Amino acid sequence: PAVIRDGHWDGEIRFRHFKTGHAIPMQQRIFFISDPATGRRIALATISRDVSESKRTEQAQQESELRWRAVYENSAVGIWLTDVAGRFVAANRAVQDMLGYTEVELQKLSFSDITPEEDWDGAQARIDQLRERSIPEYHAQQRYYRKDGCIIWGNTSAALIPGVDDAPNLLVEIIEDISARKQTEGALAQAQAE
């Protein structure tokens, strides 16, 4: 009916393989061929293209995205993404719990807003090295401000994620809260000094 009404139809249809019986997804265009002199429709033409491989690729990408999303959302360590200006793009639940901010609140902040001022230079130098590609990643112990003003310590690993299709580069950081360990180390050092 669509071909009769519109003169063509574009869509996806599945054909069955004669030997295996498996479905083959096909991108198809069906249209009329008309007599140039009279305009009378004289034939129906079909152009079909096997899209099995692109469907498999699309499914693999969706499965990969679901796996990444599950890791991101359920990770025990904090994961955040910042843009090149240091503004938060995304933050998983572990980071939100660690810092006391919601993801929406973090998206209104930048990395420098949660970093003690005396730590800015060192943190910025590491980020600049990533952007300049002089290092592939970095690992450091860094301090961060919680929303309530307390400071936490984190074992931080960071890497640059190259942009795709004119999208800007992003910085991904994985943070393990080591505040309790730092307090224990401080208490031990004080006890040894005494």
Side-chain angles (χ1 to χ4, degrees):
V3 178
I4 292 169
R5 183 186 66 239
D6 303 328
H8 65 87
W9 178 81
D10 295 285
E12 190 175 300
I13 195 165
R14 293 187 304 158
F15 289 118
R16 185 173 40 84
H17 190 281
F18 285 123
K19 291 183 181 176
T20 66
H22 291 113
I24 304 168
M26 303 290 277
Q27 187 65 41
Q28 193 169 53
R29 180 172 180 86
I30 304 171
F31 56 96
F32 282 110
I33 298 174
S34 301
D35 183 325
T38 65
R40 190 175 131 259
R41 294 174 173 172
I42 56 174
L44 190 64
T46 303
I47 299 173
S48 301
R49 183 172 53 95
D50 183 346
V51 291
S52 300
E53 189 58 38
S54 63
K55 288 284 188 182
R56 280 191 288 274
T57 301
E58 183 181 313
Q59 183 176 353
Q61 287 174 333
Q62 288 173 347
E63 289 171 1
S64 176
E65 172 64 24
L66 288 173
R67 278 192 302 275
W68 156 248
R69 178 64 50 193
V71 167
Y72 174 78
E73 291 175 354
N74 299 301
S75 179
V77 294
I79 302 171
W80 71 47
L81 297 170
T82 59
D83 63 16
V84 290
R87 300 205 62 81
F88 291 98
V89 174
N92 74 349
R93 172 59 54 199
V95 163
Q96 294 172 49
D97 292 344
M98 204 180 300
L99 297 176
Y101 291 100
T102 66
E103 185 173 42
V104 172
E105 290 172 326
L106 281 169
Q107 288 171 345
K108 294 175 185 170
L109 302 173
S110 70
F111 181 73
S112 60
D113 293 325
I114 65 162
T115 303
E117 190 172 345
E118 56 273 17
D119 296 350
W120 284 356
D121 292 341
Q124 191 59 53
R126 288 187 290 274
I127 292 169
D128 289 344
Q129 287 178 310
L130 285 174
R131 288 192 187 126
E132 295 162 2
R133 310 238 193 263
S134 55
I135 58 173
E137 77 271 335
Y138 74 76
H139 309 281
Q141 290 186 357
Q142 292 183 194
R143 298 183 307 160
Y144 304 102
Y145 283 122
R146 284 183 43 82
K147 185 177 180 179
D148 62 13
C150 294
I151 288 182
I152 65 161
W153 279 90
N155 256 352
T156 302
S157 297
L160 197 66
I161 301 173
V164 178
D165 296 333
D166 295 329
N169 293 336
L170 293 175
L171 185 70
V172 60
E173 293 194 41
I174 299 171
I175 304 101
E176 174 193 9
D177 186 348
I178 58 167
S179 301
R181 184 185 334 159
K182 288 301 244 180
Q183 288 174 346
T184 303
E185 288 172 3
L188 179 61
Q190 184 178 352
Q192 288 173 336
E194 289 172 358

